[in-house]
Amino acid sequence: MIRIILNEWKGWLRTGQFRWLIIFLVLILAAVSYFGVQDVAKRQARIDGSKQEVRDQWENMGASNPHGAAHFGSYAFKPLTALSALDEGVNLTAGRVLRLEGHVQNEIVHSSQSQSVFISYFGPLKASILLQIVIPILIIFLTFYGIKGEHEQGRVRLLMVQGISYFRLIFGKVISVWVFAVLVLLITLIIQLLTFNESISGDLLLRTGLIVLAYGSFYLIIGSITGLFSLKWSGRSSALTTMLAIWVVWLIFLPKITSWFVQEQYPLPSRQEFTDAMREDRSKGIDGHNPSDEREKALKDSVLKVYGVTSVDSLPINYDGLVMQADEEYGNKVWDKHFGALFGVMQKQKTSMQYAGFLNPFGSLQSLSMGISGTDQWSHLHFQQEAEAYRRVFIKALNDEHAFGGSRTGDWGWKAEQEFFNQIEDFHYKTPLYSKVSSFYWPDWISLGLWLILSLFMLAFFSRNANPISQ
Amino acid sequence: MIQLSKVNKRYKTNSALENLSLEVKAGQIYALLGANGAGKTTTINLLLGFLEPTGGDVKLDGLSPYFNRRKISERVAYIPENVSLYPFLSGLENLEYFCDLAGIDQSKASLVEILSKCGLPSEFHGQKVSEYSKGMRQKVGIAIAYAKKAKVLLLDEPASGLDPAASNELTGILKQLAGEGATILMASHDLFRVRETADRIGILKHGSLVEELNAFEVSANNLEDMYLQYMKN
């Protein structure tokens, strides 16, 4: 087997067009990886700069009214992971910056894509595009022409008389192309790791290993199926045409059809419907129960009772702060209800897309690539939830200061000292360890594993039972 | 060493071989003469184990090739009309590669010696096969067979497209191998070359052996007359 692999490689390296194609591809990937990491580093530096700027403004705003500070707000920045240089995932369209303020839960904004003049179908040139689209096409062509060459030039008979089985010959061809593809992948990842500025953690190494496993499995699936068709059609062009057609279906048609079907099955409300429903529940009460005026009356009664006074003006605290916090907490409930429902639908959509991987292994690869890189929808939602959790603590601290910091009801001109604001810590998001989120990706791994087993089994079965000479 | 007894081979409705019986002993060169489609290549494919006979018995060194392809491959060498080598490798590298696949452990020096013995001048050993003539490729093919120390050599139109000198050289090499004990079956329609090379000659027509004779018993002219007569009828 090793001899077949080495001979195949020798053939590529000694054949001018292949040699240049391989050199060109490796150089392009190396360049894309290097510049991808540099780009991530620059963007991360900009994020760090912006975070610092926001913090500086916060720490230098001077004595201010806490409620004013809540409107001034803060920002949550989603950090870029090391592997986002490999696969940007949903970051491009979903954004990485979330404005945090009182009364309202904002959406993540400032996606690279939305600001780009050069919006294209595939987005910016990332290593993942080359690894997911270009390398498989190369695998298809190299595997097909490797097998076709043996048939067309009548070498199969000569090789089999030497005692090697047709299975060994075909499998050797598939593996030689696969090893090449995996080497290209490894070169890309090694460049990424070496040029990545931050220290390499165990989690990053685990994620990198899983990237190799996912892409390596997918490449073997592609190679095995191409090998299968090539042996079924004895290297005739129909094998190549069929494989390319399957590739186009996997790459373009199935993802479109699947996402359309999933959206039909589990529709998401439009942005307008979502915000209208939130506003409705907030003013009229969740599901029409407990409207805002009734809530306010109940709060007022309970506070007056606690302090043993008859009017809010007699309270030793600032009642406005309590009202705002109560409204905030009710708003949180409303958000939890609506966002929870939205999250549920998104979860169903994502899971359905993952199960579609049993029809389309490319879908499983994409899902794993983004998931392992920490740039998929799960990661995006996790960041959003963490940022919201921080916003609640942040706003509560400001409302509590407004209520209990020393001011009285109606005293909107009252100001808290700068020291108070300095005590409030910034939002620091840490991408969860892969081991904590690995359960999300089992459907993708199972689908890829089943495809791999099935394609290898089919290749072994048909090549062992095929008579290449009689075809 | 080679035994075919009442062998039939049918492809769907077409009959490629009908009741073919022949025997080739060790050290003998047997030539199968016949027009295109007479069944020469089918006979070779049956002996290589690539095809299963529809009827009759095919034996090579006492084994049925179709059911013992692996064992047969250890004993047989095959030289096609066009020896398709890897064009990006040299003659020596090709020989080395094919020997490796066959599990033959030969030193580089002995491979060089084999190539020279099979008539490939040493200055061409390291040159890429893409620059070889057909005759030179044929010699590498013979070297592959030689290195394998195969008991049986099956050749399909080995002299086709070779110039007279290369063809003559091929005859010499085959006779030498037969002299060393190899059993050789060659399919051809080159009457002159067959007459020069083989010990026994069989004429195939529509899958049946219509004549079998000793090469030394017939002149080239007589063989041609006989062959043309069979083809006409």
Side-chain angles (χ1 to χ4, degrees):
Chain A
M1 185 73 80
I2 289 173
R3 280 296 302 193
I4 295 175
I5 294 169
L6 290 178
N7 193 55
E8 204 66 8
W9 282 45
K10 211 178 268 182
W12 298 335
L13 292 173
R14 288 188 184 177
T15 310
Q17 62 200 78
F18 274 130
R19 183 174 57 232
W20 287 114
L21 179 70
I22 289 165
I23 292 171
F24 178 72
L25 184 76
V26 171
L27 285 178
I28 285 277
L29 262 167
V32 168
S33 304
Y34 175 76
F35 290 116
V37 172
Q38 298 305 310
D39 178 51
V40 164
K42 266 188 210 163
R43 282 157 61 203
Q44 189 56 48
R46 274 206 299 271
I47 288 176
D48 293 343
S50 302
K51 268 175 86 170
Q52 193 54 51
E53 199 178 320
V54 168
R55 186 67 193 176
D56 287 346
Q57 284 175 354
W58 182 257
E59 289 185 355
N60 291 296
M61 65 183 174
S64 307
N65 178 269
H67 187 64
H71 279 291
F72 182 76
S74 182
Y75 288 88
F77 296 92
K78 187 181 178 196
L80 288 163
T81 60
L83 288 171
S84 60
L86 178 89
D87 195 333
E88 189 79 61
V90 300
N91 282 353
L92 283 171
T93 44
R96 287 175 290 106
V97 183
L98 184 60
R99 180 163 155 70
L100 308 172
E101 59 180 322
H103 306 305
V104 62
Q105 287 90 353
N106 290 305
E107 288 174 47
I108 298 176
V109 290
H110 300 306
S111 70
S112 313
Q113 195 82 301
S114 67
Q115 296 170 72
S116 174
V117 180
F118 306 103
I119 295 173
S120 68
Y121 181 77
F122 290 111
L125 186 61
K126 283 275 167 188
S128 60
I129 291 176
L130 294 173
L131 294 171
Q132 287 175 11
I133 298 171
V134 179
I135 296 284
I137 291 175
L138 199 69
I139 291 173
I140 292 171
F141 275 94
L142 287 179
T143 308
F144 170 75
Y145 280 108
I147 296 169
K148 180 189 162 89
E150 301 293 10
H151 276 279
E152 253 185 12
Q153 293 171 34
R155 256 193 316 261
V156 172
R157 203 179 298 229
L158 201 57
L159 288 164
M160 292 185 71
V161 172
Q162 294 309 102
I164 70 159
S165 64
Y166 194 41
F167 166 72
R168 222 175 110 197
L169 176 67
I170 300 287
F171 198 63
K173 297 273 176 189
V174 169
I175 293 295
S176 54
V177 178
W178 178 76
V179 171
F180 163 71
V182 170
L183 268 180
V184 170
L185 172 68
L186 285 175
I187 292 171
T188 309
L189 291 170
I190 289 168
I191 291 171
Q192 297 230 334
L193 289 180
L194 290 179
T195 49
F196 184 57
N197 286 332
E198 291 172 32
S199 62
I200 297 167
S201 64
D203 185 59
L204 178 56
L205 282 178
L206 171 69
R207 285 173 185 269
T208 306
L210 291 172
I211 284 279
V212 175
L213 185 65
Y215 277 86
S217 303
F218 183 70
Y219 291 163
L220 199 49
I221 292 167
I222 291 272
S224 301
I225 297 176
T226 309
L228 179 68
F229 288 143
S230 302
L231 78 88
K232 281 300 282 176
W233 284 297
S234 298
R236 284 193 290 274
S237 304
S238 43
L240 180 66
T241 315
T242 309
M243 194 58 221
L244 286 175
I246 287 176
W247 179 235
V248 170
V249 168
W250 280 357
L251 182 71
I252 300 167
F253 292 107
L254 270 181
K256 295 275 177 205
I257 292 167
T258 315
S259 58
W260 172 82
F261 181 76
V262 167
Q263 278 174 34
E264 286 291 308
Q265 287 294 108
Y266 305 110
L268 282 170
S270 69
R271 181 176 294 183
Q272 192 60 47
E273 285 168 349
F274 184 72
T275 47
D276 284 352
M278 290 259 286
R279 196 176 301 124
E280 180 99 338
D281 273 1
R282 200 156 178 169
S283 63
K284 294 183 181 167
I286 294 173
D287 303 325
H289 301 294
N290 204 10
S292 58
D293 47 352
E294 282 180 18
R295 293 195 309 267
E296 197 181 335
K297 187 176 179 310
L299 173 73
K300 192 173 168 183
D301 292 345
S302 69
V303 172
L304 293 178
K305 194 176 169 189
V306 166
Y307 284 92
V309 292
T310 53
S311 77
V312 291
D313 295 331
S314 315
L315 284 168
I317 57 160
N318 191 331
Y319 176 67
D320 297 329
L322 296 182
V323 172
M324 283 184 295
Q325 183 54 29
D327 183 56
E328 191 67 43
E329 281 168 14
Y330 196 79
N332 293 345
K333 277 187 197 165
V334 171
W335 193 82
D336 286 344
K337 176 198 161 191
H338 289 273
F339 189 77
L342 202 65
F343 186 80
V345 175
M346 285 179 188
Q347 203 163 12
K348 281 179 184 159
Q349 284 189 344
K350 171 75 181 166
T351 310
S352 302
M353 289 298 284
Q354 285 181 300
Y355 285 129
F358 291 100
L359 290 176
N360 179 11
F362 179 68
S364 302
L365 174 74
Q366 271 195 318
S367 174
L368 283 173
S369 179
M370 287 190 285
I372 297 166
S373 301
T375 58
D376 67 339
Q377 201 187 9
W378 295 126
S379 316
H380 183 72
L381 291 172
H382 183 263
F383 167 73
Q384 205 170 352
Q385 285 172 318
E386 291 289 298
E388 171 58 16
Y390 168 81
R391 190 195 70 82
R392 291 177 186 188
V393 174
F394 172 65
I395 297 300
K396 185 172 186 318
L398 295 172
N399 283 336
D400 284 354
E401 183 65 8
H402 193 93
F404 307 111
S407 64
R408 303 290 292 268
T409 306
D411 189 2
W412 292 98
W414 180 79
K415 290 177 180 176
E417 293 303 319
Q418 179 66 59
E419 287 75 40
F420 162 73
F421 296 110
N422 291 357
Q423 286 167 20
I424 299 175
E425 285 190 10
D426 260 348
F427 173 61
H428 294 292
Y429 179 73
K430 273 193 79 115
T431 306
L433 296 174
Y434 182 79
S435 54
K436 303 274 182 207
V437 294
S438 61
S439 58
F440 293 137
Y441 306 109
W442 280 117
D444 301 314
W445 285 115
I446 292 169
S447 141
L448 219 51
L450 285 178
W451 271 97
L452 183 62
I453 292 167
L454 186 71
S455 54
L456 284 175
F457 172 77
M458 300 266 282
L459 180 68
F461 179 79
F462 283 104
S463 59
R464 279 184 200 280
N465 292 293
N467 187 346
I469 309 305
S470 64
Q471 288 175 47
Chain B
M1 191 58 85
I2 292 176
Q3 277 181 315
L4 282 91
S5 139
K6 293 183 180 171
V7 174
N8 291 300
K9 179 65 195 172
R10 295 187 71 82
Y11 295 107
K12 290 178 183 165
T13 53
N14 295 333
S15 178
L17 289 178
E18 272 184 45
N19 283 326
L20 177 66
S21 295
L22 63 87
E23 191 177 347
V24 190
K25 293 190 174 113
Q28 208 173 41
I29 303 179
Y30 191 106
L32 268 181
L33 269 179
N36 289 338
K40 303 186 298 288
T41 304
T42 301
T43 308
I44 288 180
N45 280 336
L46 284 167
L47 286 165
L48 287 171
F50 292 142
L51 296 176
E52 187 182 10
T54 317
D57 214 11
V58 178
K59 286 271 157 50
L60 199 148
D61 203 15
L63 295 170
S64 167
Y66 187 75
F67 297 104
N68 299 279
R69 211 191 284 172
R70 179 116 193 127
K71 281 184 184 162
I72 287 297
S73 68
E74 289 166 8
R75 297 158 203 219
V76 74
Y78 166 68
I79 301 166
E81 181 181 353
N82 286 304
V83 178
S84 304
L85 301 166
Y86 290 96
F88 52 84
L89 298 179
S90 68
L92 183 60
E93 285 173 326
N94 265 291
L95 178 59
E96 211 175 355
Y97 180 60
F98 279 93
C99 283
D100 265 352
L101 293 182
I104 300 163
D105 192 18
Q106 294 263 28
S107 69
K108 207 160 206 165
S110 63
L111 293 178
V112 167
E113 201 184 313
I114 290 168
L115 274 180
S116 300
K117 204 170 177 179
C118 292
L120 188 75
S122 57
E123 63 264 33
F124 291 105
H125 289 188
Q127 213 171 76
K128 275 189 190 169
V129 161
S130 56
E131 293 161 15
Y132 280 18
S133 67
K134 188 181 174 189
M136 287 158 81
R137 289 203 304 273
Q138 212 77 354
K139 284 168 186 167
V140 177
I142 294 168
I144 293 169
Y146 192 89
K148 210 174 164 185
K149 295 190 176 76
K151 288 181 180 175
V152 178
L153 254 77
L154 301 171
L155 299 97
D156 198 356
E157 311 281 3
S160 161
L162 293 187
D163 61 51
S167 211
N168 198 40
E169 242 179 302
L170 178 72
T171 298
I173 295 166
L174 293 180
K175 283 191 165 178
Q176 186 194 332
L177 290 170
E180 290 170 17
T183 308
I184 301 174
L185 177 91
M186 56 187 276
S188 179
H189 42 221
D190 182 344
L191 300 174
F192 176 75
R193 188 51 49 201
V194 159
R195 167 69 188 71
E196 289 295 303
T197 314
D199 302 314
R200 278 180 73 70
I201 300 166
I203 299 175
L204 265 182
K205 188 182 177 187
H206 301 317
S208 299
L209 198 63
V210 291
E211 183 67 68
E212 208 175 19
L213 48 130
N214 289 321
F216 59 84
E217 286 172 353
V218 64
S219 70
N221 284 344
N222 285 349
L223 180 63
E224 187 174 18
D225 288 343
M226 197 185 291
Y227 179 73
L228 290 174
Q229 195 60 40
Y230 276 119
M231 294 303 113
K232 209 184 282 176
N233 295 336

